[in-house]
Each structure stands twice: as C-alpha cells, then as structure tokens.
Amino acid sequence: MKTKIKNSHAFTWIAIALLSISIYASSKAESTGEIKNIALKILENELIKVTIDDTSGNFSVLEKTTGQEWIPDPWENAAGLLTITDKKGKRQTLNLSKSKAINVQEKADGSISIEFSEPVFDNGDLAKGAKVGVKLSLNPSTAGLDIEITDVEAGSYQLVDLRYPARHFSLETDVDRGAAVIPQKQGIISPSYIFPMNGGRFCKWDDATYNNKSIGTLQLFNNGTGLTMPWWGTYNEKSAVMVILDESSRPDMFYNINNNGQYLFNPEGKMSTYQRRVFLDPVWNLAKENTSMKMSYRFLPAGDYVTMAKTYREEAKAKGFFVSLEDKAKANPNVNKLAGAIYVGIYGGYPHYVNMPGMQFTFEELKDIIRTTHDELGVENAFIHAWGVFSNFAPVCWPINEDLGGPTVLKEAVDLTKKYNYLYSSYHAYSPVLENDPAINIGLMERDEQGKLQHTGSRWARVDTDKLKSLASANLEKEVATLGLEADITDISFAVFPEKGSEGIRDLARYLRSLNLVMGTEHGQEQWIPYFDMFEGLVYLEDAPLSEISHPAPLFSLVYHDAIANFGKIQDPNNEVTANGDYRIKSLQSMLFGIGSAIFFSPYEFDGMKEMLKMSNALVSPVHRETFYAELLSHEYLSADFKLQRSTFSSGTEVIVNLGPVSQKTDTGVSIPGYGYQVTGADGKVKKGGFQMTLTME
C-alpha cells in the first residue's frame, strides 16, 4: 500500500526568515566515550529558532522573546511514532528516529524536508519499503512553524496511524507550572502540577497514572466528546505554544496528562523510568485516505489559554466561521429574543416514544406551563422547547398529535409565547431510525456499495445524509405555516462533520437557514455557526476521565461568544445534579462564561422547577441579556484551587464567582463567599450574593 500526499503549495520565503545553515556540534557518546559529529540544520526568524538534528530527525524550538525552549520527546527521543502491522499480523509502534535512514535536506524555498526510511521493529528487523516524509517551514505571516506530512509509504506492511510530532512541546509535571489546553465541548485546561487538589480528588489525580484515565484520544468534530475547534496547546509561566490544524486535516488528539508512560512498561511488569509529563499529539489515521496532513504551530510569549483562544478567534474570522449575533439579529430581529432567555425543555416522550404514559402532556397543559412561567414566575425571556407533539416517530415530524389537542390548541400555546416575547419550537430530528417505531423505515438508512446497511449500532445519525433535507422539507414548512413559528430546533444532524456525507448535512443546514427562523441545534461545532443562532449543550465536559483531572475553561466562548448563543444541555441541564455540579455551580459558571440557563423537565415535575426558573430569571438572565452581543474578553483563575474565577466582557460587564465552599479574596481584596458572586454591570452598578444550603424540618 502506498499513500501519497501532494504538496498543494509552497510557502514563500521572505526576508525575516534567515537562510537555513548547517552547523556541526560534538557530543560524547554515552556508551563508548567517543566523539561523533551531529549535523544540525536551522530554521530561524525574529521569533523562533528551530533546530533539526540530522541523526534523529528531531527538532527543538527556541522562542526568543522569553528564552523558552520547547524540546523534543523527552522519553524516547522519537520524532514520531508509526503504528504498523507486520507480516505476521502483530501490531507494533515504531520510533521513527530509529529508522535505517534519516535524510534531512534544505529546500530551495527555505523549507527543510525530513525522510524516515525503514523504521526498526522490536526484534531489529527493518520495515522495508516503509517511509514517512515531512516538511518543516517558517510561516511568513505568523512567524510560526508549519509542518506537513508529505509522503507515507507502507511497503509490504499495513499502516495504522502516525503520531507526528510525538511528545513535543511537553511540560514536566511539578516542574513546569502550566497546563494543557483542550477545546473539548466548551473547553478544559489540565494543570501540569498536583497541588492544590481538593479533598479526595488528589487520589483520582494520582491514580489516573495507573488506570489509564490520564491518557487517551479525542476525535475532532464528533458527537459530544470530541474537539469542537481544530486546535490545542500547552503553556507554562513563560510562554505558550498552540497548534492550529489545516481546515481539511482531521487527526485525533492524543492526550497524556501528568502520566509517566507506565503503560509502556506494564507488559513486562516493570516500573516506568520516565518522569511524568503533559503533552498533546496529533494522531493521523493512515488506514484511510487523508486529504491533507498539515498543521501550524504558533508561539505566544507570556501566553496562556486565553491568548490561544484569541489567536484562534482571528483564524476563525479569516476562515468565515465567525458570523456575529448582531448580524444575525439584523437579518432576523427575533434573534433578540434569545438574549436573557431561559431554555425551557418540556419532555413528553418524543422522539423515543409517542404518547408516552406518565410523561406526555396535552397542549392545554402546555399552555398552563407557559402562562405560569410568565405570569406567576415572572420569567422575562424564554425559549420553550416541547418534546412530544407529533403522532409519528422521528424522522417523520408530522402530523401534530390530535390526541393531545391538535394543531388548533398547539397554535394557542405558540401564540402565548409570542405574546410574552418568548420563542417556541417543537422537537425535530431527521437523522434517527428507531427500532421501537412501529413504522420503522430502514429504507432511509445508508447502505454500502454491496447494499449492506450502515450505522446499525446506534439509533442516531443513521439516515442517509442525502435524505435529510427532503425529510425536513416534507413537513417543516407546513408546521411553520400552521403554528406561525418563529424558531426551530433540529437535533443531532449537525453534531459531526464526516468527510463522507458532509454535503448532505450542509444541504439541510442551508435549507433550515433559508426559512429565516431563529435556528438552534444540539451540540454544535464551529463550522455550523453561520447557519445557526444557538447551540444546546456546548457547555459542560462529558468525558469523565478528563473531568477528574481538569478544570472547565470557556475556550469556545472566548472565540465565539458573540457569534452563537450557548445554552445548557437537555440531558445535563442546570436543574440536574450531575458530575458537572448542581444548580449553584452550573448557574455561577453560566454567568462566568456568558451562557444561558437550561431547565429541562417532564410536566409532572413542573412545580419542582418553579424556584429554579425564578432564580435563573433573577440571577443568570440579566447577565446573559447584558453580555449577549458582547465579546468575552478575558477569563482568569484567581485562586490556587481554581475555584475563584473572573471574566470580563466587551460590554463592560465583569463577573466574579466562587465555585467552592470557602470564602476567598480576589487580587484586589474583594471577598467572595462560598458559592457566591459579584457582578459589575456595564453601568458600574455592583450586585453581590451567593447560595446557602438550608434545611427545613418538621
């Protein structure tokens, strides 16, 4: 097998980048004490100096402003790690720096090419015919380092994946005080040091090294747990480095968070000899055809996670992903109704079941909930999302269920939302095929060239993407006309960005956008921002291992807050106590990140939600309303335990919250009680408060 990736263009070499030069250094061989020559090649500009070692193909980067040197792999001195299946079917991971031949060459355009030929198996055999070629060049626009994998050849072997560069730009645990920055969901940072760690979480942090919870891979643009933006990075007290992936590149991200590589020694029952490290690597899937394998490293003196997010914000604008909420509101003034809104989900069974006993509500009951929310609870802005209004299962979202009151009574409920300046949408989904649907239609599912059904392992994202638009257009415009809808929520279809089928998903997005409704979807990712006004669920981290050893950070909001309205997730709303916290923590964090509240319930639970709806309207909604069109300018962790945090918005709003139980002071001496807050509005007025636990006994 041979996979060839052609270079699409050559970067222009400009005057700020010095000519590559070859120098020779002497080093003493550890085993024999003999002196040998090591050839080094250098790429250099005013910001960085990249040194490439001819003997290993490895490179280091000196960031000149601060003197920060980013070293190559500290464990095995591996430029890259190639996973390959040998002729006996055994899978091995080979160190490219131990290849039979490593050829480093300067090119006329100022770049440097590195070719790794015939890496070595564990038994000393050569992977004959296997080859990996890469190109390093300085970017004249960013003064950063661009890397492209230009050539991958398998010889007579089967290639699995390639980690390149491997273990570069790492932090040594408890030596470098910094963090890994990972835009998973809204975002997280994973500190490179132990103390402080609250209570029993120290045990989780330490155990993670030995139970594989601190290593793993995250996909780019998948449903819920993957990266929502194509970048990541590390920083310490001096400097930061981030990688931004080429738009068509789709690697996974391997994370190693304060792990000492014990997993490499476990098969032999030995203790690791490596120190704990934090690093993030791209993992290129060589079992599939890659359109490109390109990445651009940016070096940010004195930078951190906020610097990275703001750097990517400019990239997002250049790529056309950023469309401001202000522009969306000019096109459709109903977008203004999202500002300060509470996202109220009312579950009646659909799409999983129709007329679900004990859960389903009538449209008269829906009217009562809407009326009570406004008149009794005083909720000023709301987005009502009703699940369970159709008499068919998804993906056939029609007709409106006559048993529940039919279209006439449902329209009366929708008219109430308009009267109160609320928004309304029924639940829509066009991608599931449900086995419990009496009228299940497997003819909607995708098939391969041999006619075999695809995506049979899940209820969701099973419909052939070419059929999505036709399923939506068959009924949605009838519903809009019947009910006079101003908004739409369409679920799941936009949670992934597959290489195959993406055009069908885009067709659906373009169709929905053409209806000029306030448009929302679950999860969401950056490529769908031009088509949507709100995302549901791009808030909390769902992947448990990383949540135990990381801290939530508003990376997505730092990039896109003023381009898309984010609300909590239906399956993890503010009113539910989950791994992401309780109502106190979620609401404080919503203010901090500029996110709207989500309250989700079945009708029989409504009375129990009333106090939360009132609190959200009084606490979160005013901040959300004031900052809705504003850029999230900054975010800071003000205390050693990461509990005391501060955000500032371009509206002039400042939010300080304490997510822990102990009162703490800011750097300016302001005391914030446990689970408390201080909000300084755009008008300079200060509001303070906090949550207290109370008990009533009879």
Side-chain angles (χ1 to χ4, degrees):
M1 181 186 79
K2 180 176 180 179
T3 304
K4 196 85 170 181
I5 300 93
K6 294 184 178 180
N7 184 21
S8 60
H9 66 280
F11 289 104
T12 304
W13 191 255
I14 63 173
I16 63 170
L18 302 179
L19 292 176
S20 300
I21 61 172
S22 296
I23 65 173
Y24 288 87
S26 295
S27 68
K28 194 173 292 291
E30 294 181 4
S31 57
T32 64
E34 66 177 292
I35 302 297
K36 64 178 181 179
N37 286 328
I38 298 177
L40 304 176
K41 290 185 172 60
I42 293 174
L43 291 170
E44 188 171 6
N45 60 23
E46 78 284 359
L47 179 63
I48 59 173
K49 179 180 180 181
V50 184
T51 304
I52 302 101
D53 178 359
D54 276 13
T55 60
S56 67
N58 247 318
F59 67 88
S60 62
V61 181
L62 173 67
E63 187 260 286
K64 296 179 180 180
T65 304
T66 64
Q68 170 65 38
E69 184 173 14
W70 297 103
I71 63 172
D73 175 14
W75 287 355
E76 299 177 302
N77 196 40
L81 299 168
L82 178 67
T83 302
I84 190 170
T85 302
D86 65 21
K87 295 176 181 177
K88 295 182 180 180
K90 180 182 178 182
R91 180 176 291 190
Q92 292 190 42
T93 298
L94 311 183
N95 182 342
L96 289 183
S97 292
K98 294 182 178 180
S99 297
K100 177 184 177 182
I102 299 174
N103 185 20
V104 182
Q105 289 189 340
E106 303 170 9
K107 297 297 185 180
D109 62 358
S111 65
I112 289 180
S113 68
I114 310 172
E115 185 177 88
F116 303 92
S117 299
E118 300 187 345
V120 181
F121 285 107
D122 291 342
N123 63 3
D125 291 345
L126 300 177
K128 294 185 177 180
K131 182 174 71 173
V132 173
V134 301
K135 184 177 82 168
L136 277 60
S137 58
L138 297 177
N139 189 305
S141 299
T142 66
L145 174 64
D146 290 342
I147 298 178
E148 179 181 3
I149 299 166
T150 56
D151 185 25
V152 180
E153 299 183 21
S156 57
Y157 302 92
Q158 181 180 354
L159 302 184
V160 180
D161 61 46
L162 171 67
R163 276 170 57 188
Y164 186 91
R167 306 184 187 122
H168 284 53
F169 312 110
S170 65
L171 305 173
E172 185 174 354
T173 302
D174 285 331
V175 174
D176 297 306
R177 290 186 68 84
V181 181
I182 304 173
Q184 182 187 28
K185 295 288 280 186
Q186 179 65 221
I188 56 172
I189 66 165
S190 301
S192 59
Y193 51 92
I194 300 176
F195 182 81
M197 191 64 64
N198 301 326
R201 289 190 64 189
F202 170 79
C203 297
K204 292 182 178 181
W205 189 100
D206 192 60
D207 288 348
T209 298
Y210 302 101
N211 58 21
N212 287 341
K213 287 190 175 181
S214 59
I215 61 169
T217 57
L218 298 177
Q219 291 181 315
L220 178 62
F221 302 143
N222 80 341
N223 184 12
T225 60
L227 304 180
T228 53
M229 297 178 284
W231 63 272
W232 60 77
T234 51
Y235 70 91
N236 57 25
E237 293 175 298
K238 293 171 63 177
S239 192
V241 57
M242 67 182 297
V243 61
I244 300 176
L245 300 171
D246 180 82
E247 189 173 352
S248 59
S249 296
R250 297 284 183 271
D252 292 345
M253 185 201 75
F254 178 85
Y255 59 87
N256 186 99
I257 308 299
N258 300 311
N259 195 292
N260 66 351
Q262 182 60 45
Y263 55 91
L264 300 173
F265 294 81
N266 285 341
E268 298 179 12
K270 296 181 180 179
M271 179 65 188
S272 170
T273 59
Y274 303 143
Q275 74 272 46
R276 295 191 189 202
R277 283 271 172 178
V278 171
F279 55 81
L280 307 172
D281 293 347
V283 183
W284 306 94
N285 184 351
L286 302 181
K288 70 175 184 179
E289 188 74 23
N290 289 286
T291 54
S292 70
M293 291 187 278
K294 299 178 183 179
M295 53 206 133
S296 178
Y297 285 90
R298 309 287 180 88
F299 299 88
L300 310 170
D304 61 7
Y305 62 99
V306 176
T307 320
M308 293 182 201
K310 293 307 179 184
T311 298
Y312 186 72
R313 178 178 167 92
E314 297 308 310
E315 189 85 6
K317 288 182 175 180
K319 291 179 178 179
F321 295 142
F322 189 99
V323 179
S324 74
L325 283 167
E326 286 186 343
D327 287 340
K328 291 173 181 177
K330 289 176 184 176
N332 181 358
N334 283 320
V335 170
N336 290 304
K337 295 181 180 181
L338 288 171
I342 302 173
Y343 183 46
V344 181
I346 305 172
Y347 182 67
Y350 183 89
H352 312 283
Y353 301 93
V354 170
N355 292 343
M356 188 175 182
M359 308 289 278
Q360 190 55 270
F361 53 84
T362 68
F363 299 149
E364 287 291 349
E365 291 170 329
L366 178 60
K367 287 166 58 178
D368 288 340
I369 291 173
I370 295 168
R371 189 180 294 112
T372 300
T373 298
H374 182 268
D375 295 349
E376 178 185 326
L377 306 182
V379 172
E380 298 171 66
N381 299 90
F383 192 157
I384 306 296
H385 186 192
W387 296 39
V389 304
F390 302 116
S391 57
N392 280 313
F393 289 72
V396 182
C397 304
W398 191 260
I400 294 169
N401 198 318
E402 293 287 351
D403 293 339
L404 307 180
T408 299
V409 184
L410 182 55
K411 185 177 186 303
E412 292 172 358
V414 174
D415 288 344
L416 271 180
T417 64
K418 290 181 178 180
K419 176 183 176 181
Y420 299 145
N421 208 36
Y422 291 180
L423 292 169
Y424 170 89
S425 176
S426 306
Y427 178 93
H428 305 107
Y430 306 109
S431 64
V433 176
L434 307 173
E435 283 82 1
N436 58 301
D437 181 357
I440 184 173
N441 181 4
I442 62 172
L444 295 173
M445 295 174 64
E446 184 179 346
R447 297 177 182 268
D448 63 15
E449 295 178 355
Q450 287 73 42
K452 183 179 179 181
L453 288 174
Q454 302 296 293
H455 312 301
T456 56
S458 170
R459 312 167 79 189
W460 307 104
R462 300 173 81 177
V463 170
D464 187 331
T465 55
D466 289 339
K467 297 182 172 68
L468 294 174
K469 178 184 173 183
S470 61
L471 282 167
S473 61
N475 299 306
L476 183 56
E477 288 175 71
K478 288 186 290 187
E479 184 189 355
V480 171
T482 299
L483 300 178
L485 296 180
E486 297 176 335
D488 171 78
I489 300 289
T490 292
D491 194 6
I492 290 297
S493 302
F494 308 96
V496 294
F497 189 38
E499 304 307 320
K500 182 180 180 181
S502 61
E503 194 54 39
I505 298 175
R506 287 188 183 278
D507 284 344
L508 175 59
R510 282 190 284 261
Y511 167 71
L512 294 173
R513 182 80 278 176
S514 72
L515 300 179
N516 199 34
L517 303 172
V518 177
M519 196 62 61
T521 191
E522 188 181 7
H523 297 298
Q525 285 147 1
E526 65 173 16
Q527 63 271 19
W528 305 118
I529 287 175
Y531 303 98
F532 291 91
D533 306 301
M534 65 85 73
F535 287 157
E536 172 211 314
L538 202 63
V539 180
Y540 307 120
L541 178 68
E542 293 179 345
D543 186 67
L546 277 176
S547 67
E548 292 177 359
I549 56 177
S550 304
H551 301 287
L555 303 181
F556 199 87
S557 287
L558 283 163
V559 177
Y560 288 120
H561 180 268
D562 47 336
I564 192 80
N566 283 314
F567 292 86
K569 194 170 189 304
I570 288 292
Q571 287 86 353
D572 191 4
N574 289 46
N575 55 283
E576 289 289 331
V577 179
T578 69
N580 291 309
D582 58 14
Y583 179 84
R584 300 169 300 172
I585 292 173
K586 291 178 182 179
S587 296
L588 292 170
Q589 187 171 282
S590 291
M591 290 195 297
L592 188 73
F593 291 4
I595 287 168
S597 294
I599 307 293
F600 185 49
F601 55 89
S602 291
Y604 74 88
E605 300 173 299
F606 179 52
D607 283 345
M609 299 298 116
K610 289 180 178 179
E611 287 304 310
M612 291 187 182
L613 286 164
K614 287 166 64 176
M615 285 191 293
S616 291
N617 182 66
L619 178 64
V620 180
S621 290
V623 178
H624 189 249
R625 192 174 296 114
E626 181 169 290
T627 63
F628 185 75
Y629 293 109
E631 177 185 352
L632 176 57
L633 294 177
S634 68
H635 172 264
E636 303 167 87
Y637 299 99
L638 300 177
S639 61
D641 63 359
F642 295 87
K643 297 299 183 182
L644 190 66
Q645 301 178 39
R646 175 170 55 207
S647 291
T648 60
F649 295 83
S650 62
S651 58
T653 313
E654 178 189 77
V655 179
I656 305 173
V657 304
N658 184 352
L659 300 179
V662 180
S663 177
Q664 300 204 56
K665 289 186 177 181
T666 70
D667 48 357
T668 59
V670 177
S671 181
I672 307 296
Y675 302 112
Y677 64 89
Q678 176 177 296
V679 177
T680 304
D683 58 4
K685 293 181 179 179
V686 177
K687 295 181 180 179
K688 299 180 180 180
F691 291 93
Q692 293 183 347
M693 184 176 292
T694 60
L695 175 66
T696 301
M697 298 183 69
E698 295 182 2

